[in-house]
Amino acid sequence: MALNTNMQRLTRAAIREAGMPYHGRNAEGAPPHAVQALVDELLGDAFLQHASDLHFESREDGLHIRLRIDGLLEESAPPLPAVLAGPLLSRVRILAGMDITNHLTPVEGHIRASKVYPDIRVSSIPAIDGESMVLRFMTGSDRALSLEELGYLPDALKRFRTLIHRPQGLILIVGPMGSGKSSTLYAAIEELKDPSKSILTLEDPVERILDGITQIEINAQTGLTFPVGLRALLRQDCQCVLLGEIRDEETAHLAVRVALTGHLVLATLHTSDCISTIFRLLEMGVPRYLLAATLTGIVSQRLVRKLKKDAPDGTGCRYQGRTVISEVLPFSPECRQLLLEQAPASAFRQYQKEAALPTLMQDGLEKCRLHITDEREICRVLGLCANQ
């Protein structure tokens, strides 16, 4: 994050406020409460650069600031002086409604939207050199993308649409953190919206407001957990449930049982691909016969950077924006039989191959062929060597 002229001016003023003499030129006209103004400037600038996350990291040599843009963290300016770490992070805590005296345990907070940045979710954790804080920008006012806009290839999109338009069953969107799972869930719900349907969501937190949908935010402090919410939804006369995340065994069992009662359940899970998701659910104690009866399909995805139309060769800036690479596994009668027969993962992968269902790598290579992205980016995201 490069410090613009105004940030440099505010930094000098903030250092004076913190009681450390600054030996450069005077910052004439610097506003009072420069720390507050500097924080506002940093948040606004990060949002203007389309950052999804802003990191404040206290280290021995100062306060490092990094932005996550298009999935990559970057630090393009020297750290702020260490003397500013305390005042600056305390200001963020005040904005987020966090306890400014608790520096020994992890704390979370929420900064409400202003004229220059959206709602922000704040997480702080103590580290050996001081506080480490991550701010997640929640662009909830943005419209939900359509399924077409997510970037699925035509065959994958057709398979995905077939899954979500079934009247009941469990559909899982899987991948690591930051792979766009929530955006895909929202796009699916937007497509399913219908005045004749009742659709409810359970989210932690609600990341985007959906018109015409009843959205419920998890609040563990009041006892509203995912399991409690799922049980309550069974009495709400709804046809479709969006479950933000399956985090534990109890939630996994309840999600399966809700699907078994005739609901369509869309949920996310942190697994690496479609096949590993099946075995993760078994590890969570979901009985095979229930999983075979309810699982409709699994969609695994990652986000990769897109090539610019005039992408230069070599080390120039080649990318702009991101798109999805995916694999879609409809849970067919053959899959159910493999599950009930306790077949190993290799048998499912053989079925995936024989059914001509592209893997994440194959989907990515097709996008390389179409010049949407390149092999270097696919290998980076999938954790492979560039020559594989």
Side-chain angles (χ1 to χ4, degrees):
M1 170 185 253
L3 298 182
N4 60 39
T5 302
N6 194 41
M7 283 187 200
Q8 294 173 5
R9 179 172 62 89
L10 290 171
T11 298
R12 291 191 289 267
I15 290 171
R16 289 200 303 275
E17 281 186 6
M20 176 181 176
Y22 178 72
H23 299 294
R25 66 179 181 81
N26 291 330
E28 297 296 336
H33 310 298
V35 170
Q36 299 180 33
L38 178 59
V39 169
D40 288 343
E41 187 79 11
L42 289 167
L43 299 185
D45 186 70
F47 180 60
L48 286 175
Q49 294 192 55
H50 305 289
S52 61
D53 300 86
L54 169 60
H55 290 231
F56 292 121
E57 300 167 359
S58 298
R59 301 182 193 166
E60 190 175 358
D61 62 340
L63 184 66
H64 289 248
I65 302 174
R66 296 199 288 171
L67 300 181
R68 187 175 295 280
I69 299 174
D70 287 341
L72 295 182
L73 272 175
E74 60 178 52
E75 179 180 16
S76 57
L80 295 177
V83 70
L84 289 182
L88 190 150
L89 297 179
S90 292
R91 174 57 183 168
V92 175
R93 281 174 171 256
I94 291 170
L95 286 173
M98 299 158 68
D99 184 354
I100 64 170
T101 65
N102 178 13
H103 296 279
L104 300 178
T105 59
V107 290
E108 296 182 357
H110 170 219
I111 300 176
R112 297 199 175 275
S114 75
K115 293 181 180 179
V116 293
Y117 51 78
D119 279 13
I120 302 172
R121 190 170 67 203
V122 183
S123 173
S124 175
I125 192 168
I128 59 172
D129 290 319
E131 191 170 2
S132 179
M133 187 178 284
V134 176
L135 288 71
R136 166 66 57 89
F137 291 89
M138 313 297 291
T139 55
S141 59
D142 294 344
R143 68 177 180 86
L145 297 175
S146 67
L147 287 175
E148 288 88 355
E149 290 173 306
L150 294 174
Y152 281 88
L153 291 174
D155 287 346
L157 181 58
K158 183 179 179 180
R159 284 190 289 272
F160 189 20
R161 275 209 164 100
T162 299
L163 293 180
I164 66 173
H165 284 284
R166 292 181 180 177
Q168 64 186 64
L170 175 64
I171 300 170
L172 295 171
I173 314 297
V174 305
M177 184 182 67
S179 57
K181 299 185 297 296
S182 294
S183 294
T184 299
L185 277 183
Y186 282 132
I189 290 297
E190 281 287 341
E191 178 150 325
L192 290 173
K193 276 198 315 187
D194 187 308
S196 67
K197 292 181 180 178
S198 174
I199 301 176
L200 279 71
T201 77
L202 278 176
E203 305 173 64
D204 183 22
V206 171
E207 296 185 14
R208 181 176 286 113
I209 302 301
L210 301 174
D211 292 335
I213 304 296
T214 301
Q215 294 176 267
I216 302 159
E217 187 161 274
I218 295 301
N219 187 340
Q221 293 181 342
T222 64
L224 180 53
T225 61
F226 278 115
V228 169
L230 271 175
R231 291 190 184 96
L233 290 186
L234 289 173
R235 300 184 289 274
Q236 286 291 312
D237 187 32
C238 63
Q239 289 78 50
C240 179
V241 176
L242 182 155
L243 180 59
E245 184 180 347
I246 295 177
R247 295 180 177 175
D248 52 43
E249 293 182 4
E250 185 179 10
T251 306
H253 282 252
L254 282 169
V256 168
R257 294 191 178 277
V258 170
L260 193 64
T261 59
H263 296 78
L264 179 66
V265 180
L266 290 83
T268 71
L269 188 64
H270 287 132
T271 55
S272 59
D273 59 24
C274 291
I275 306 302
S276 64
T277 302
I278 300 168
F279 291 88
R280 176 69 182 119
L281 290 168
L282 294 175
E283 290 171 359
M284 297 175 86
V286 177
R288 287 179 184 272
Y289 74 95
L290 284 181
L291 194 57
T294 56
L295 188 57
T296 300
I298 307 169
V299 179
S300 176
Q301 67 177 54
R302 302 288 191 278
L303 292 177
V304 297
R305 291 178 294 173
K306 295 191 295 185
L307 287 172
K308 289 182 177 179
K309 291 184 178 179
D310 56 347
D313 294 328
T315 59
C317 183
R318 299 167 55 85
Y319 309 103
Q320 185 173 43
R322 290 192 290 176
T323 189
V324 163
I325 60 171
S326 67
E327 61 180 45
V328 182
L329 178 68
F331 214 66
S332 64
E334 292 86 352
C335 286
R336 291 186 174 86
Q337 189 63 33
L338 288 172
L339 178 59
L340 293 173
E341 291 174 351
Q342 302 186 32
S346 58
F348 283 92
R349 297 194 190 282
Q350 182 62 30
Y351 165 77
Q352 189 179 23
K353 181 178 180 180
E354 292 173 355
L357 298 171
T359 63
L360 284 166
M361 186 65 179
Q362 290 166 339
D363 189 79
L365 291 176
E366 177 63 13
K367 287 204 164 182
C368 294
R369 189 186 70 80
L370 296 172
H371 303 292
I372 296 171
T373 188
D374 60 15
E375 186 175 345
R376 181 173 67 180
E377 179 66 2
I378 298 298
C379 291
R380 180 190 70 81
V381 169
L382 295 181
L384 303 172
C385 296
N387 59 1
Q388 284 187 280

